[in-house]
Amino acid sequence: MARHRAGGNGCGAQSGKGQVMQKVLANLLLEHAPLAALIDDHLHWDVMLPGAPFPNVVMFVISGVTNYTYSGPDRTQQNRIQFDSRGSTAADARAVADALTERLSGFRGEFQGTKFKGCFASGQRTRHEKVDGLEWFVDSRDFNIFWAPA
């Protein structure tokens, strides 16, 4: 499947290895049939594209750091990613967020040249938004993602 549609510059605020991980993470999510059935390929970094159909997911890098040992930095990176699942109803947003959580929560493994050492849920919030007459519901989930190049 590997269909990745990215909003903004396609890779968020990260550069280099972080951009690669972001593309791989998007593809990992789109490979999950229950999520793809809900959002097709409407998965974006940083911005909801104008006119994007609901439901969709917008992802944000909240923080990113290199892991350190007493010997210095190692190859492992830790990113906190916020996933905003958006839908025209609260139930639609929740269904997308639940499918995303089903795929990511506790995931470990290699995918497209990236070794995911662990993906752990770390927060959840809901809200309703209205901009220029357009309304939607958001179920926002945060994950701490530990990864390294494979």
Side-chain angles (χ1 to χ4, degrees):
M1 180 184 255
R3 301 174 296 168
H4 174 233
R5 178 182 295 180
N9 65 10
C11 296
Q14 298 285 300
S15 62
K17 293 183 292 186
Q19 287 183 349
V20 171
M21 185 281 298
Q22 289 180 8
K23 290 177 184 179
V24 171
L25 178 60
N27 289 337
L28 176 72
L29 292 172
L30 290 173
E31 290 282 324
H32 186 55
L35 180 60
L38 294 170
I39 66 169
D40 190 29
D41 65 350
H42 304 291
L43 183 70
H44 315 283
W45 282 102
D46 301 318
V47 297
M48 183 172 69
L49 298 179
F54 294 115
N56 64 57
V57 176
V58 180
M59 303 172 290
F60 305 91
V61 175
I62 303 303
S63 66
V65 296
T66 299
N67 276 2
Y68 284 85
T69 67
Y70 287 114
S71 300
D74 68 14
R75 292 173 26 114
T76 302
Q77 303 287 314
Q78 176 185 349
N79 287 96
R80 184 177 178 120
I81 307 293
Q82 176 179 317
F83 298 91
D84 284 357
S85 299
R86 301 167 188 228
S88 55
T89 67
D92 288 347
R94 186 172 32 261
V96 170
D98 288 347
L100 186 145
T101 297
E102 177 184 290
R103 176 61 167 145
L104 275 186
S105 185
F107 178 77
R108 291 178 56 179
E110 286 190 28
F111 186 80
Q112 295 182 347
T114 298
K115 184 174 184 177
F116 290 92
K117 296 183 173 190
C119 301
F120 307 104
S122 60
Q124 176 182 7
R125 331 159 276 284
T126 59
R127 67 184 183 274
H128 174 261
E129 295 185 0
K130 184 176 183 178
V131 176
D132 297 330
L134 180 63
E135 296 183 61
W136 62 90
F137 293 84
V138 180
D139 188 321
S140 187
R141 313 254 172 122
D142 296 346
F143 279 81
N144 287 323
I145 299 177
F146 296 83
W147 64 277

